[in-house]
Amino acid sequence: MIDKDKHPIGWTMFFCELDDAKEHLINLIAEIQNNPEYDEANLRVDLGHVYSHLNRAWYRRNKKEDISEEEWIEACKFPPDL
């Protein structure tokens, strides 16, 4: 895994993805608890959003710098049946 002292840019990008995933997961949990109209279609979208942040974090875990546009496209891919 990337070292925050040796590669601060890569570490920051990696950590931002994890932090965003955490924020969206907290919001997702609150929405499910507080909105009786919340349904599976919403869950699919919201959970997909959380997953995309986790997927990019996994992709960035060893990247020393920011990623290119082509790498971003690759990092954003996730299973279509989520």
Side-chain angles (χ1 to χ4, degrees):
M1 193 172 93
I2 192 165
D3 183 302
K4 70 177 179 177
D5 295 323
K6 292 180 184 174
H7 306 288
I9 293 172
W11 171 263
T12 299
M13 303 306 290
F14 164 71
F15 203 80
C16 281
E17 293 293 353
L18 289 177
D19 200 39
D20 283 348
K22 179 181 81 172
E23 177 184 340
H24 289 291
L25 187 56
I26 288 168
N27 292 339
L28 166 62
I29 291 167
E31 185 68 19
I32 290 171
Q33 289 176 328
N34 298 318
N35 182 357
E37 305 286 318
Y38 195 87
D39 61 9
E40 188 170 335
N42 289 319
L43 178 63
R44 183 177 300 270
V45 170
D46 292 339
L47 202 54
H49 191 106
V50 171
Y51 179 82
S52 66
H53 284 294
L54 293 173
N55 194 54
R56 284 192 299 269
W58 180 254
Y59 187 86
R60 289 181 180 272
R61 75 193 183 283
N62 293 317
K63 298 291 180 181
K64 297 175 182 175
E65 299 292 326
D66 199 2
I67 58 177
S68 69
E69 189 172 326
E70 286 121 11
E71 289 175 306
W72 175 262
I73 292 167
E74 190 64 29
C76 289
K77 292 181 181 177
F78 61 94
D81 61 341
L82 178 62

